[in-house]
Amino acid sequence: MKLEIKNVTKSFKTKTAVNHFSMEIQSGECVALAGPNGAGKSTLIKLISDIMNPDQGEVLLNGKNISKMKKEIGYLPQYPNFFPWMTANETLNFMGRLSDIGKNDLERGIPWVLSKVGLSGEENSKVGTFSGGMKQRLGIAQALLHKPSLILMDEPVSSLDPIGRREVLNIINEIKEETTILLSTHILGDAEEICERFVIIKDGRKIEDATMIDLLKRNNKDKLYFEITEKVKDWVREIGAFDYVKNVDLTGNRVKVEVDNIGLNKDMLLKNALKNNVNLVQFKIDSESLEEIFLKLVVDK
Amino acid sequence: MKLHYGLDDLSEFDIVAFLPIILPIVAIGLILVLTALIDLYRHRERRENVLMWALIIIFANTIGSILYFVIGRKESGGR
Amino acid sequence: MNQFTVLVKKELIQLVREIKLVWFPLVFIFLGITQPVVSYYMPSILEMLGGGQGISIDPSMMAQSGGEVLASTLGSQFDQLGVMIIVISLMGIVQSDKASGMLAFILTRPVKVGSYLSGKVFSHYVFIAFSVAVGYIVSYIYTQFLFTGIPLEDLSIALLLYLLWVLFIVSFTTMISTIFNSQGVIALLSIAILLGCRVIVGLNPFLDTINPASMSTYGMELLVGGVLNSNVFWSILITLILSALAINISNTWISRKKYRID
């Protein structure tokens, strides 16, 4: 499986939602499409799932236009909205039959997929009575049912409460072993848990495409983080004068210190603090969290 | 000159010939009203203006229940 | 074809679940009974209430033929309240799927837009045609009991002609429901245009030929006078073409993804 998005553009009346966007996804990857609200994530997912046609460019799956490869795609909408009068079983049957799955395969497939998303026992309940998390899980079930090679999820956890979010994240974690996943999210913390690769989109353009480890490494500066109980301003000024200290940043009780070489200098600084009787609460290497990197990318650029 | 016409006047109709014709209409009207009321009751938690519809169905019976079926069966709040 | 059956089956189950299967035919039976019964009793009621005051009753009202009564069932009951009920019950046929996102969702599956639309139109048309036919037959039973009988041939041809008009109503409403997004607009527009078509019948012979609503009046003429309009074949052809065109426009509209997606 290989998904290619080639220079895709989609404009609406007032704005360009996706602007000359290109990327490739290989089999087995789990890719998070992150970006602030209105960045074009949803539009991009809809272009890939063939709900909208791009103005320019094309989306290819295994070298063929996506419109001809619908059987290979499982799509989970942002708000999966099934027919409320159908039961879970009927919904899966309906969606499965639309994907050309045979009756016998469905008889085996539906219980399997329901147990996978933890909805066994609910097969005869009306979808109208389901909670948001249950609908989302049913949505995942229908996306899995025809064993697609690529699963597209539009904000799978954004609208859920913490419990529903946990359940859905666990399910995604499990299924990513077997398929390729592309999901969009505006909450990086969720994506961080499941996906290795991040594509960050802003104003319809791709501004970053890297693995999580790369991103963290790239943004890892030689910084130390202190928390002290009393303001020992003198000491803070004193360390600012050391030649291996490049920058000191004091806010309240928190001190951020940038040094030349973290491996060598962190012990020296700690020793110095102890010698001066600074009351330390925390002392650690300060690495930027993914959330901060994301914010920096999205806000600054 | 007689100004008021009461129920007595209706007795001039031939009730025996009248009944088999009018009974099916009454029956159909009744079925419509009952189906509407049962449906409204079964979905009372997910419908808007349950009381209003109940009154419409009861007081405008046949027309009321038709109205209910045509425009009153909208689910409320469903995303 | 497989998808078509799945979609038709879904619509039929929905008809059962939403108990439309019960109330919709009943409404048409009710409309069908109303006309003969009211026509039959109205003279006696008027005579009885107005007798002392000398309101004159047109004796021709008493002497209506069965054909005339059944024709007014089509013309005054089905073509007014009936059409409104059909349109309002169909206004969400595509619109509700658009609004809930189910249309987009269904189309992420290997489903042709044509299968989706034909499934919708086919299932709803068959059901509505069935309901109208039942109402018509019940109306006939009352009519021949209270008035006179009608030759079976005229009776069935008039029904078939009327059902062609119903076909146009269904396809036209489907098209409007595909293009517009508000149920109110869909209902108003469809009712205004369809009733408008019905009202202008008789103004101009050429317009009548291309007006699908003429199917209804041809049926009525046949019931009343036993004669079929000579333009009927052209009208049938044009009604069929217009219905196909309406479905085709809906098909293109959805295929080009012009429907709003939020």
Side-chain angles (χ1 to χ4, degrees):
Chain A
M1 204 261 1
K2 183 184 181 193
L3 177 78
E4 295 164 273
I5 301 167
K6 287 185 173 169
N7 205 21
V8 160
T9 299
K10 174 81 190 174
S11 302
F12 296 113
K13 270 175 207 144
T14 47
K15 67 179 264 187
T16 304
V18 175
N19 200 344
H20 297 284
F21 190 98
S22 300
M23 74 169 171
E24 270 185 30
I25 297 178
Q26 304 292 339
S27 190
E29 277 189 291
C30 175
V31 181
L33 188 65
N37 286 331
K41 300 182 301 279
S42 247
T43 310
L44 187 59
I45 295 265
K46 280 174 179 154
L47 289 171
I48 302 172
S49 53
D50 197 37
I51 291 176
M52 291 180 192
N53 289 337
D55 300 336
Q56 264 178 58
E58 53 183 352
V59 180
L60 303 176
L61 188 65
N62 296 340
K64 288 191 195 122
N65 192 300
I66 204 80
S67 310
K68 298 187 183 85
M69 301 293 287
K70 288 185 183 176
K71 275 183 203 174
E72 293 303 319
I73 293 180
Y75 168 66
L76 174 67
Q78 186 163 5
Y79 306 105
N81 206 342
F82 304 102
F83 297 113
W85 48 269
M86 277 193 187
T87 65
N89 219 339
E90 285 167 336
T91 305
L92 292 177
N93 225 318
F94 177 63
M95 297 310 278
R97 292 297 296 275
L98 289 183
S99 293
D100 267 339
I101 308 178
K103 255 201 171 119
N104 295 331
D105 289 342
L106 276 177
E107 261 165 42
R108 266 175 280 121
I110 291 176
W112 167 76
V113 89
L114 277 174
S115 75
K116 192 144 202 150
V117 299
L119 284 177
S120 303
E122 299 286 348
E123 46 273 87
N124 292 321
S125 315
K126 294 255 162 68
V127 177
T129 65
F130 278 20
S131 69
M134 287 166 86
K135 275 190 192 163
Q136 209 79 26
R137 282 185 280 154
L138 185 63
I140 295 177
Q142 64 78 31
L144 281 178
L145 187 60
H146 54 298
K147 303 202 172 69
S149 49
L150 172 68
I151 295 185
L152 301 164
M153 303 192 204
D154 196 356
E155 304 269 0
V157 291
S158 309
S159 59
L160 300 180
D161 62 19
I163 298 166
R165 166 187 249 113
R166 189 72 268 144
E167 290 167 346
V168 170
L169 285 177
N170 287 344
I171 294 166
I172 299 177
N173 238 327
E174 211 173 291
I175 59 178
K176 78 168 186 197
E177 308 296 329
E178 293 148 41
T179 44
T180 314
I181 295 178
L182 172 64
L183 59 86
S184 74
T185 181
H186 62 265
I187 302 163
L188 262 182
D190 296 332
E192 204 172 348
E193 276 185 49
I194 344 176
C195 291
E196 300 84 38
R197 181 175 159 200
F198 287 84
V199 174
I200 297 174
I201 177 172
K202 190 195 171 191
D203 296 333
R205 287 173 193 279
K206 184 163 86 173
I207 56 172
E208 185 62 88
D209 183 351
T211 62
M212 184 164 81
I213 301 154
D214 266 358
L215 265 182
L216 286 175
K217 211 184 276 171
R218 211 185 301 161
N219 287 279
N220 194 11
K221 299 251 175 59
D222 291 329
K223 267 190 182 173
L224 286 166
Y225 174 84
F226 287 77
E227 202 178 321
I228 47 185
T229 46
E230 50 197 87
K231 284 183 193 170
V232 205
K233 289 239 171 88
D234 292 343
W235 179 71
V236 173
R237 216 173 295 135
E238 194 181 315
I239 58 172
F242 294 160
D243 51 357
Y244 59 81
V245 174
K246 278 158 70 183
N247 192 14
V248 179
D249 182 16
L250 173 76
T251 35
N253 288 342
R254 297 182 180 123
V255 192
K256 274 187 182 175
V257 184
E258 205 177 326
V259 292
D260 273 343
N261 184 329
I262 197 132
L264 288 171
N265 303 139
K266 76 169 191 305
D267 290 355
M268 290 170 66
L269 201 60
L270 185 57
K271 274 180 198 154
N272 189 281
L274 291 173
K275 202 172 75 193
N276 287 295
N277 286 326
V278 178
N279 196 351
L280 284 173
V281 177
Q282 260 195 63
F283 180 86
K284 63 172 187 180
I285 297 173
D286 183 39
S287 59
E288 272 181 296
S289 73
L290 215 51
E291 201 69 50
E292 284 170 308
I293 299 169
F294 174 63
L295 277 176
K296 221 161 59 180
L297 279 170
V298 167
V299 178
D300 294 353
K301 278 190 188 171
Chain B
M1 197 172 75
K2 201 174 163 192
L3 282 171
H4 181 258
Y5 301 92
L7 275 174
D8 292 351
D9 298 302
L10 280 173
S11 65
E12 286 169 35
F13 273 131
D14 189 348
I15 291 293
V16 185
F18 187 66
L19 266 184
I21 293 163
I22 216 73
L23 218 54
I25 301 185
V26 176
I28 287 170
L30 210 65
I31 297 174
L32 278 174
V33 170
L34 282 180
T35 339
L37 284 177
I38 291 170
D39 184 75
L40 184 65
Y41 180 75
R42 280 178 50 206
H43 297 90
R44 62 193 177 282
E45 271 147 27
R46 304 182 54 217
R47 292 260 194 284
E48 288 165 6
N49 308 323
V50 175
L51 192 68
M52 181 193 87
W53 278 114
L55 292 177
I56 292 177
I57 295 168
I58 290 165
F59 288 109
N61 46 72
T62 316
I63 300 295
S65 47
I66 293 176
L67 215 59
Y68 167 74
F69 285 126
V70 175
I71 57 173
R73 294 191 86 261
K74 298 274 171 291
E75 303 283 331
S76 63
R79 235 230 176 267
Chain C
M1 244 5 221
N2 182 24
Q3 272 85 357
F4 172 76
T5 356
V6 177
L7 288 160
V8 167
K9 217 172 122 193
K10 176 244 148 192
E11 294 296 328
L12 294 182
I13 297 173
Q14 190 167 11
L15 287 179
V16 176
R17 294 281 161 85
E18 297 186 338
I19 58 167
K20 199 176 169 185
L21 198 69
V22 177
W23 68 263
F24 202 80
L26 278 180
V27 169
F28 275 88
I29 292 174
F30 188 80
L31 289 177
I33 296 182
T34 312
Q35 190 66 33
V37 169
V38 169
S39 312
Y40 185 76
Y41 282 107
M42 197 49 86
S44 14
I45 292 170
L46 286 179
E47 188 176 36
M48 191 187 70
L49 295 182
Q53 291 158 325
I55 291 176
S56 62
I57 305 296
D58 182 358
S60 71
M61 268 182 79
M62 298 292 284
Q64 277 194 87
S65 76
E68 281 167 324
V69 176
L70 197 58
S72 11
T73 297
L74 294 183
S76 351
Q77 303 296 334
F78 289 6
D79 268 349
Q80 288 167 25
L81 255 179
V83 170
M84 287 187 208
I85 288 168
I86 293 176
V87 168
I88 294 174
S89 77
L90 282 184
M91 63 190 175
I93 182 168
V94 177
Q95 182 270 346
S96 61
D97 280 356
K98 282 192 294 182
S100 69
M102 276 313 275
L103 175 57
F105 200 6
I106 287 173
L107 292 180
T108 59
R109 298 310 175 110
V111 177
K112 286 200 187 73
V113 179
S115 311
Y116 170 81
L117 274 173
S118 52
K120 286 265 181 198
V121 172
F122 175 80
S123 47
H124 286 272
Y125 176 63
V126 167
F127 173 65
I128 291 172
F130 163 79
S131 309
V132 169
V134 169
Y136 180 83
I137 291 166
V138 172
S139 187
Y140 173 67
I141 293 172
Y142 264 76
T143 305
Q144 61 101 38
F145 180 62
L146 296 174
F147 300 90
T148 56
I150 300 161
L152 188 65
E153 200 188 295
D154 292 356
L155 189 72
S156 17
I157 292 177
L159 176 63
L160 290 181
L161 290 174
Y162 194 80
L163 291 184
L164 274 172
W165 162 229
V166 173
L167 174 67
F168 179 75
I169 296 174
V170 173
S171 356
F172 182 79
T173 312
T174 305
M175 178 182 83
I176 300 291
S177 182
T178 306
I179 296 174
F180 294 90
N181 291 322
S182 134
Q183 291 205 332
V185 171
I186 296 166
L188 266 174
L189 208 62
S190 309
I191 290 176
I193 293 176
L194 290 168
L195 290 190
C197 281
R198 182 66 185 79
V199 167
I200 62 165
V201 173
L203 283 184
N204 174 310
F206 173 73
L207 275 183
D208 283 358
T209 316
I210 59 163
N211 186 347
S214 307
M215 305 311 297
S216 165
T217 45
Y218 293 158
M220 287 167 66
E221 283 165 21
L222 184 65
L223 288 173
V224 174
V227 266
L228 204 49
N229 193 296
S230 52
N231 282 331
V232 73
F233 292 105
W234 286 112
S235 291
I236 291 176
L237 194 69
I238 287 166
T239 304
L240 288 174
I241 290 173
L242 287 177
S243 307
L245 191 70
I247 298 169
N248 213 335
I249 290 175
S250 321
N251 192 355
T252 320
W253 191 273
I254 298 177
S255 305
R256 291 207 185 145
K257 299 169 188 176
K258 281 199 163 180
Y259 59 89
R260 187 189 63 191
I261 308 157
D262 4 72

